[in-house]
Short mmCIF file of all heavy atoms in Angstrom, two decimals:
data_model
loop_
_atom_site.label_atom_id
_atom_site.label_comp_id
_atom_site.label_asym_id
_atom_site.label_seq_id
_atom_site.Cartn_x
_atom_site.Cartn_y
_atom_site.Cartn_z
N GLU Z 239 0.39 25.96 1.99
CA GLU Z 239 -0.57 25.45 1.00
C GLU Z 239 -1.80 24.86 1.68
O GLU Z 239 -2.93 25.03 1.22
CB GLU Z 239 0.09 24.38 0.13
CG GLU Z 239 -0.84 23.78 -0.92
CD GLU Z 239 -0.20 22.63 -1.67
OE1 GLU Z 239 0.96 22.28 -1.36
OE2 GLU Z 239 -0.86 22.07 -2.57
N PHE Z 240 -1.57 24.19 2.81
CA PHE Z 240 -2.67 23.54 3.52
C PHE Z 240 -3.68 24.56 4.02
O PHE Z 240 -4.89 24.43 3.82
CB PHE Z 240 -2.09 22.71 4.67
CG PHE Z 240 -3.10 21.81 5.33
CD1 PHE Z 240 -3.48 20.63 4.73
CD2 PHE Z 240 -3.64 22.13 6.56
CE1 PHE Z 240 -4.40 19.79 5.33
CE2 PHE Z 240 -4.56 21.30 7.16
CZ PHE Z 240 -4.94 20.12 6.56
N SER Z 241 -3.20 25.59 4.69
CA SER Z 241 -4.10 26.62 5.21
C SER Z 241 -4.70 27.47 4.11
O SER Z 241 -5.85 27.90 4.19
CB SER Z 241 -3.34 27.50 6.21
OG SER Z 241 -2.89 26.74 7.33
N ALA Z 242 -3.92 27.73 3.04
CA ALA Z 242 -4.41 28.56 1.95
C ALA Z 242 -5.57 27.89 1.22
O ALA Z 242 -6.43 28.58 0.66
CB ALA Z 242 -3.29 28.86 0.97
N LEU Z 243 -5.61 26.56 1.23
CA LEU Z 243 -6.69 25.85 0.54
C LEU Z 243 -8.04 26.22 1.13
O LEU Z 243 -8.99 26.51 0.40
CB LEU Z 243 -6.46 24.34 0.65
CG LEU Z 243 -7.54 23.45 0.03
CD1 LEU Z 243 -7.59 23.64 -1.47
CD2 LEU Z 243 -7.27 21.98 0.37
N LEU Z 244 -8.14 26.23 2.45
CA LEU Z 244 -9.40 26.59 3.09
C LEU Z 244 -9.74 28.06 2.84
O LEU Z 244 -10.89 28.41 2.57
CB LEU Z 244 -9.32 26.32 4.59
CG LEU Z 244 -9.44 24.86 5.03
CD1 LEU Z 244 -9.30 24.78 6.54
CD2 LEU Z 244 -10.78 24.27 4.59
N SER Z 245 -8.74 28.92 2.94
CA SER Z 245 -8.99 30.35 2.74
C SER Z 245 -9.50 30.62 1.33
O SER Z 245 -10.45 31.39 1.13
CB SER Z 245 -7.71 31.14 3.00
OG SER Z 245 -7.26 30.96 4.33
N ALA Z 246 -8.88 29.98 0.35
CA ALA Z 246 -9.30 30.19 -1.04
C ALA Z 246 -10.73 29.70 -1.26
O ALA Z 246 -11.52 30.34 -1.95
CB ALA Z 246 -8.33 29.48 -1.98
N HIS Z 247 -11.05 28.56 -0.67
CA HIS Z 247 -12.39 28.02 -0.83
C HIS Z 247 -13.42 28.93 -0.17
O HIS Z 247 -14.50 29.17 -0.73
CB HIS Z 247 -12.45 26.62 -0.22
CG HIS Z 247 -13.75 25.91 -0.49
ND1 HIS Z 247 -14.00 25.27 -1.68
CD2 HIS Z 247 -14.86 25.75 0.26
CE1 HIS Z 247 -15.21 24.74 -1.65
NE2 HIS Z 247 -15.76 25.01 -0.48
N LEU Z 248 -13.10 29.46 1.01
CA LEU Z 248 -14.02 30.34 1.71
C LEU Z 248 -14.23 31.64 0.92
O LEU Z 248 -15.35 32.14 0.80
CB LEU Z 248 -13.50 30.63 3.11
CG LEU Z 248 -14.40 31.51 3.99
CD1 LEU Z 248 -15.77 30.87 4.17
CD2 LEU Z 248 -13.74 31.75 5.34
N GLN Z 249 -13.15 32.20 0.38
CA GLN Z 249 -13.27 33.42 -0.40
C GLN Z 249 -14.13 33.20 -1.64
O GLN Z 249 -14.92 34.07 -2.03
CB GLN Z 249 -11.89 33.92 -0.81
CG GLN Z 249 -11.08 34.48 0.34
CD GLN Z 249 -9.67 34.84 -0.07
OE1 GLN Z 249 -9.31 34.72 -1.23
NE2 GLN Z 249 -8.86 35.26 0.89
N MET Z 250 -14.00 32.04 -2.26
CA MET Z 250 -14.79 31.73 -3.43
C MET Z 250 -16.27 31.66 -3.08
O MET Z 250 -17.13 32.15 -3.81
CB MET Z 250 -14.34 30.40 -4.04
CG MET Z 250 -15.07 30.03 -5.33
SD MET Z 250 -14.49 28.46 -6.00
CE MET Z 250 -15.05 27.33 -4.72
N ARG Z 251 -16.58 31.09 -1.91
CA ARG Z 251 -17.97 30.99 -1.48
C ARG Z 251 -18.55 32.38 -1.16
O ARG Z 251 -19.75 32.61 -1.33
CB ARG Z 251 -18.08 30.10 -0.24
CG ARG Z 251 -17.83 28.62 -0.52
CD ARG Z 251 -17.63 27.85 0.78
NE ARG Z 251 -18.80 27.94 1.64
CZ ARG Z 251 -19.78 27.04 1.67
NH1 ARG Z 251 -19.74 26.00 0.85
NH2 ARG Z 251 -20.80 27.18 2.48
N ARG Z 252 -17.70 33.30 -0.68
CA ARG Z 252 -18.17 34.61 -0.27
C ARG Z 252 -18.14 35.65 -1.39
O ARG Z 252 -18.63 36.76 -1.20
CB ARG Z 252 -17.31 35.13 0.88
CG ARG Z 252 -17.51 34.37 2.19
CD ARG Z 252 -16.52 34.88 3.22
NE ARG Z 252 -16.78 34.29 4.53
CZ ARG Z 252 -16.01 34.48 5.60
NH1 ARG Z 252 -14.91 35.22 5.48
NH2 ARG Z 252 -16.31 33.92 6.76
N SER Z 253 -17.55 35.31 -2.53
CA SER Z 253 -17.33 36.31 -3.57
C SER Z 253 -18.66 36.81 -4.12
O SER Z 253 -19.61 36.05 -4.28
CB SER Z 253 -16.49 35.72 -4.70
OG SER Z 253 -17.23 34.75 -5.41
N PRO Z 254 -18.77 38.12 -4.42
CA PRO Z 254 -20.01 38.68 -4.97
C PRO Z 254 -20.40 38.02 -6.29
O PRO Z 254 -21.57 37.86 -6.59
CB PRO Z 254 -19.67 40.17 -5.17
CG PRO Z 254 -18.54 40.43 -4.23
CD PRO Z 254 -17.75 39.16 -4.18
#
Side-chain angles (χ1 to χ4, degrees):
E239 180 186 1
F240 190 77
S241 298
L243 177 65
L244 284 178
S245 299
H247 187 81
L248 183 59
Q249 289 174 3
M250 183 180 66
R251 289 167 61 94
R252 290 175 174 175
S253 69

